[in-house]
Amino acid sequence: MRPIAHGVANTPDNKIRKASFMLDSYFKISERGSSIAQEVRGGLVTFFTMAYIVALNPIILAYSPDANGQFLFGGNTPAPAMVAATTALVAGVLTILMGSVANYPLALATGLGLNTFVAVGIASQMTWAAAMGLVVLEGLIILVLVLTGFRVAVFKAVPAQIKIAISVGIGLFIALIGLVDAGFVRRTAAGPVPVGLGVNGNLVGWPTVVFVFGTLLIIALMVRKVKGAILIGIASATALAIGIQQAFNIKPNFTPGNPPTIVDGGWQLGIPAVPTEIVAVPKFDFTGQFDLFGAFTLDNVSLVAAILLLFTLLLSDFFDTVGTVTAIGHESGLADKDGNVDNIQKILLVDSVAAAAGGAAGISSNTSYIESAAGVGEGARTGLASVVTGLAFLLTTFLAPLVAIIPYEAATPALIIVGFLMMAQIKNINWDDLGIGIPAFLTIILMPFTYNISVGIGAGFITHVVIRVVQGRGKEVHPLLLLVSGLFMVYFLSSPINAWIG
């Protein structure tokens, strides 16, 4: 009888059940009210909404010359393919690390905004190796702050309702990102209004139709409570985009170059045509080429200027992640009444390693992505979703041509929907208390208006401290919040300080 029982125990069905049980137990899937299918869907949605970084990072980094007029790491020509492959590789490894170590539905990749600052604000003054050295150094400093408990202490020192405001502000921010990336809202570049509807107040081009179709489809599916609404919406919009491209052969809106070519009515980034090539062998030639202290030995960059550049990187990375983790925690239900989340030490530890790893790999600082909220909106509640996202990124190192068929216009509707979901938390803010209401208001509006999470957080912190002091309630402010507010004042005044000290 034992051999028969042994045979039954090892049937394919039982092996699947055993594997499912192990996944459920390790990631606490059932405990968090989720399922394996739900986590897989959430992980794929997160990937699709942030896969653009694989195509966009090369445009920002590979086509930006350093102070010597040379491209990435001294090359005479851009190396976009290597930047794309390395971007996907590092994102994949770090996102899997986040999922398996911290068990949090958070994905990481090269920070959008940080990479522009590195390329335009730092590398233009020095060699690429020296710029990447600053990024590595920034990551190592943040890692020390995590290991000493300082970063977690700052996270916990923020009042609960300010954390809610951060979450709401990020919701508006990612909704604006979705609208701008889809071309529904565009920068006017002239006149008193910074952004406007489409081109000169009109929606232009078939790609906009794809965006509107995807958004309305996801809304309809959500109203009908269809599981996988966001993923179905992205897939359907992509299929429509491919059909439109086949019929009308639409050009891209943006073509890299010096200067870049802008065409109204075109695709915002990728062209959703069926690729002629699916598999490409990746190359990672410049990984590891960084000069840790190179920025501090240059003749054309003073020591103080290098320190200010490092400080700007540090503060932006530090608080962008605080805001992202807070927003994901509230949206997923993983935050407690004070806005704190379990495993915060591990989450911030992985994020800190990511900053240094991005610089060491030569593709700028890697950080937690707010687009992870799209996966949470699809139902992701555990690190298994991050593992799925990470595996998708690793596959992208070989399948970059296939990923390129998903245009902005098909993926960004997810950000609009998630922005709505995060906005709903605004009802939990006490607007009658001006010490909370005004900081919350500034936090919420400045994130989208400045296109910067850290600016909103800094303004909220500073006004909260000032109002509490004026109210005679300064003792209620945590000492760490006083310290951080002072650092934010230095951050906001870094330009005049730099000019003052020469």
Side-chain angles (χ1 to χ4, degrees):
M1 293 295 291
R2 286 182 180 176
I4 295 174
H6 179 74
V8 171
N10 286 279
T11 60
D13 285 348
N14 281 340
K15 287 182 179 179
I16 292 173
R17 290 193 193 95
K18 184 177 180 181
S20 298
F21 175 78
M22 291 175 65
L23 282 175
D24 191 290
S25 178
Y26 183 82
F27 290 106
K28 301 180 180 179
I29 297 173
S30 297
E31 182 180 326
R32 295 186 182 179
S34 185
S35 67
I36 292 177
Q38 192 169 304
E39 295 300 309
V40 172
R41 287 199 307 270
L44 290 175
V45 165
T46 294
F47 170 73
F48 288 136
T49 52
M50 61 183 286
Y52 67 83
I53 193 61
V54 178
L56 190 57
N57 203 36
I59 292 175
I60 294 172
L61 296 186
Y63 291 92
S64 298
D66 63 15
N68 299 322
Q70 294 183 314
F71 293 102
L72 199 60
F73 289 108
N76 294 317
T77 57
M82 284 190 287
V83 176
T86 308
T87 299
L89 174 68
V90 177
V93 171
L94 292 170
T95 301
I96 290 173
L97 191 65
M98 177 65 77
S100 57
V101 172
N103 193 22
Y104 203 64
L106 193 61
L108 303 96
T110 303
L112 188 59
L114 279 174
N115 57 359
T116 303
F117 175 63
V118 169
V120 178
I122 298 180
S124 61
Q125 304 180 53
M126 58 189 74
T127 64
W128 276 105
M132 292 302 125
L134 270 183
V135 173
V136 173
L137 193 59
E138 173 254 327
L140 294 176
I141 292 173
I142 290 185
L143 180 60
V144 171
L145 295 178
V146 173
L147 293 175
T148 56
F150 179 81
R151 201 177 186 190
V152 175
V154 169
F155 184 86
K156 293 183 176 180
V158 180
Q161 293 193 58
I162 299 297
K163 289 179 180 176
I164 294 174
I166 291 171
S167 181
V168 173
I170 288 177
L172 286 179
F173 180 41
I174 65 173
L176 179 60
I177 290 173
L179 292 170
V180 171
D181 287 351
F184 194 91
V185 170
R186 303 192 188 208
R187 299 174 181 88
T188 57
V193 182
V195 294
L197 177 68
V199 180
N200 297 322
N202 297 305
L203 296 176
V204 177
W206 282 103
T208 302
V209 174
V210 172
F211 169 73
V212 173
F213 166 79
T215 303
L216 292 177
L217 178 59
I218 294 174
I219 291 172
L221 293 173
M222 286 182 63
V223 170
R224 299 294 298 177
K225 298 183 179 179
V226 175
K227 291 184 178 180
I230 295 177
L231 184 57
I232 293 171
I234 293 173
S236 301
T238 300
L240 175 62
I242 293 173
I244 288 175
Q245 180 62 24
Q246 292 291 315
F248 300 103
N249 191 27
I250 300 169
K251 303 297 182 182
N253 172 268
F254 176 89
T255 301
N258 192 15
T261 301
I262 305 296
V263 179
D264 290 332
W267 301 107
Q268 289 293 306
L269 186 60
I271 299 178
V274 177
T276 56
E277 181 185 36
I278 295 179
V279 178
V281 178
K283 294 182 179 180
F284 313 104
D285 292 4
F286 50 70
T287 298
Q289 299 180 40
F290 64 93
D291 186 350
L292 191 60
F293 298 105
F296 300 95
T297 60
L298 300 171
D299 294 332
N300 63 315
V301 179
S302 69
L303 176 62
V304 174
I307 292 174
L308 282 174
L309 289 172
L310 178 62
F311 175 73
T312 302
L313 270 177
L314 183 69
L315 208 63
S316 296
D317 206 1
F318 190 108
F319 285 101
D320 274 7
T321 297
V322 168
T324 300
V325 172
T326 299
I328 298 298
H330 279 108
E331 181 59 27
S332 62
L334 298 177
D336 62 20
K337 61 181 179 63
D338 296 318
N340 299 319
V341 299
D342 290 336
N343 288 338
I344 184 62
Q345 178 81 0
K346 293 180 179 179
I347 294 169
L348 296 179
L349 184 65
V350 174
D351 182 84
S352 304
V353 170
I363 40 88
S364 188
S365 178
N366 273 234
T367 188
S368 301
Y369 257 60
I370 191 53
E371 280 86 346
S372 304
V376 171
E378 187 59 53
R381 295 293 181 271
T382 76
L384 179 58
S386 297
V387 173
V388 171
T389 304
L391 290 174
F393 269 116
L394 293 183
L395 286 173
T396 302
T397 61
F398 296 94
L399 303 175
L402 188 61
V403 173
I405 72 172
I406 304 171
Y408 265 167
E409 292 81 359
T412 49
L415 301 183
I416 309 302
I417 302 304
V418 172
F420 156 72
L421 295 174
M422 297 173 72
M423 184 71 185
Q425 301 170 38
I426 199 169
K427 63 181 181 292
N428 297 316
I429 297 174
N430 181 10
W431 297 101
D432 293 329
D433 181 353
L434 296 184
I436 292 295
I438 292 177
F441 171 70
L442 292 175
T443 298
I444 291 169
I445 64 167
L446 286 177
M447 285 186 189
F449 287 174
T450 64
Y451 231 63
N452 190 306
I453 292 174
S454 292
V455 168
I457 292 175
F461 285 2
I462 292 171
T463 51
H464 173 70
V465 170
V466 170
I467 291 172
R468 284 295 186 243
V469 170
V470 171
Q471 290 175 327
R473 298 167 59 182
K475 292 182 179 180
E476 296 178 17
V477 179
H478 196 288
L480 281 178
L481 206 57
L482 285 171
L483 171 63
V484 170
S485 297
L487 292 175
F488 264 116
M489 287 298 295
V490 175
Y491 171 71
F492 288 135
L493 299 174
S494 59
S495 181
I497 290 174
N498 195 25
W500 174 53
I501 62 180

